[in-house]
Amino acid sequence: VNPLAPATKLGESYLLSHLNQPWHKNGICSEGTFAKFYTTSRANGVRLHGGSASLSIWAPNVARAADFTTSSMLISIVPGFYISAGWITDNHMNGCWDLDCDGFVQVNNTLALGSPLQAVSAIGGSKQVFRVTIHQEAGTKNWWLRIGDTHLGYWPASLTPADVADGASSIEWGGAVFDSIGRGNHTETDMGNGLFPNSDDASYMCQLRFFDESLNAHAPNSLSLSVLVTNPKCYNAKLDDVINEERGPCFYYGGSGFNSECP
């Protein structure tokens, strides 16, 4: 097995104000690298206590040695401090990810962060999906990570700044691509499976949920969901027009990066 070959794996990361994100070594992300939906509690002042989503799993093309592409759910505690979980595909990433980072407490001895995902979806074929859940425990205020029905571990409450109120300010779902060069031609690294969201085979996230203080799950409505796409010619996102009560809300996202309209 080529250790530098792209591999899709279970991944998570967290950021404190004094930690550098991996891409800081080469500057910031280029334009057109994000496509995501987010729900926020700022309108009514109610804090969010977690969220969940079902993610389709893919093995996207990673064009450059230092590029990466990821699909995840991100819980923003306060600006500059977040926790996230999902899957990531890279060639040979540097930086602090998964259990290489201090802080996350692994409690499961059969499934670890960073574990390769053996089964991935096929365009025009079967779809592989896993469910990611992050919630804040009422007593300890720890943030627990669950994949399907399996608890992997938690981020201790001690990681959060002392003056932070319980809960989170917003939740984001979506994909991101890191363009390691950030100049000249846009990277050809795929987001999702490389298909734009107008395709029925595009990458998707479904069963978007957020949790209240009592950990009751709620499906965000169209008024509480907002979309952020930095360059729709490179990558895009689209909410499913048909909202099935059991499966929805869903959105499709992705793209190929460099193309005739994304120079």
Side-chain angles (χ1 to χ4, degrees):
V1 177
N2 179 359
L4 299 183
T8 299
K9 62 183 182 180
L10 190 67
E12 65 83 29
S13 67
Y14 72 92
L15 171 67
L16 296 173
S17 59
H18 63 278
L19 292 179
N20 287 323
Q21 293 171 285
W23 52 80
H24 288 176
K25 296 179 180 178
N26 299 308
I28 61 173
C29 289
S30 65
E31 288 296 320
T33 55
F34 298 100
K36 59 190 176 184
F37 278 84
Y38 67 92
T39 187
T40 178
S41 64
R42 296 187 183 93
N44 56 21
V46 176
R47 302 280 285 179
L48 306 173
H49 291 263
S52 60
S54 295
L55 289 66
S56 58
I57 309 168
W58 301 91
N61 170 63
V62 177
R64 296 169 177 167
D67 284 5
F68 67 81
T69 178
T70 180
S71 295
S72 63
M73 177 178 68
L74 184 148
I75 310 286
S76 180
I77 312 298
V78 293
F81 185 99
Y82 67 81
I83 52 179
S84 67
W87 58 262
I88 187 169
T89 304
D90 60 49
N91 278 311
H92 193 64
M93 270 187 54
N94 295 315
C96 170
W97 293 79
D98 303 321
L99 296 179
D100 292 334
C101 301
D102 293 332
F104 186 83
V105 179
Q106 174 88 28
V107 301
N108 189 284
N109 62 2
T110 60
L111 180 63
L113 294 173
S115 302
L117 296 169
Q118 301 296 332
V120 297
S121 303
I123 295 175
S126 62
K127 302 299 184 288
Q128 302 296 326
V129 178
F130 72 84
R131 186 154 189 82
V132 174
T133 302
I134 297 175
H135 78 274
Q136 188 177 39
E137 190 174 34
T140 64
K141 307 303 180 184
N142 297 332
W143 289 89
W144 280 85
L145 171 63
R146 189 171 77 238
I147 303 299
D149 296 325
T150 302
H151 283 87
L152 269 67
Y154 62 90
W155 294 271
S158 58
L159 292 174
T160 61
D163 58 345
V164 172
D166 293 344
S169 61
S170 65
I171 302 175
E172 300 176 1
W173 299 274
V177 166
F178 170 57
D179 184 339
S180 57
I181 295 180
R183 61 184 179 275
N185 288 344
H186 195 284
T187 182
E188 294 181 82
T189 292
D190 292 339
M191 179 184 291
N193 59 10
L195 297 179
F196 283 86
N198 56 343
S199 169
D200 292 337
D201 261 333
S203 186
Y204 62 85
M205 292 190 189
C206 286
Q207 294 180 305
L208 308 182
R209 298 291 186 269
F210 66 90
F211 303 144
D212 61 24
E213 187 175 8
S214 300
L215 297 184
N216 297 313
H218 303 273
N221 57 39
S222 58
L223 296 178
S224 63
L225 278 175
S226 301
V227 64
L228 171 63
V229 178
T230 53
N231 192 334
K233 301 297 184 180
C234 303
Y235 310 106
N236 210 342
K238 182 183 74 171
L239 188 65
D240 195 348
D241 295 332
V242 179
I243 299 181
N244 179 290
E245 288 188 8
E246 181 179 350
R247 186 172 180 265
C250 293
F251 70 93
Y252 295 87
Y253 67 99
S256 58
F258 176 75
N259 61 67
S260 60
E261 296 185 338
C262 173

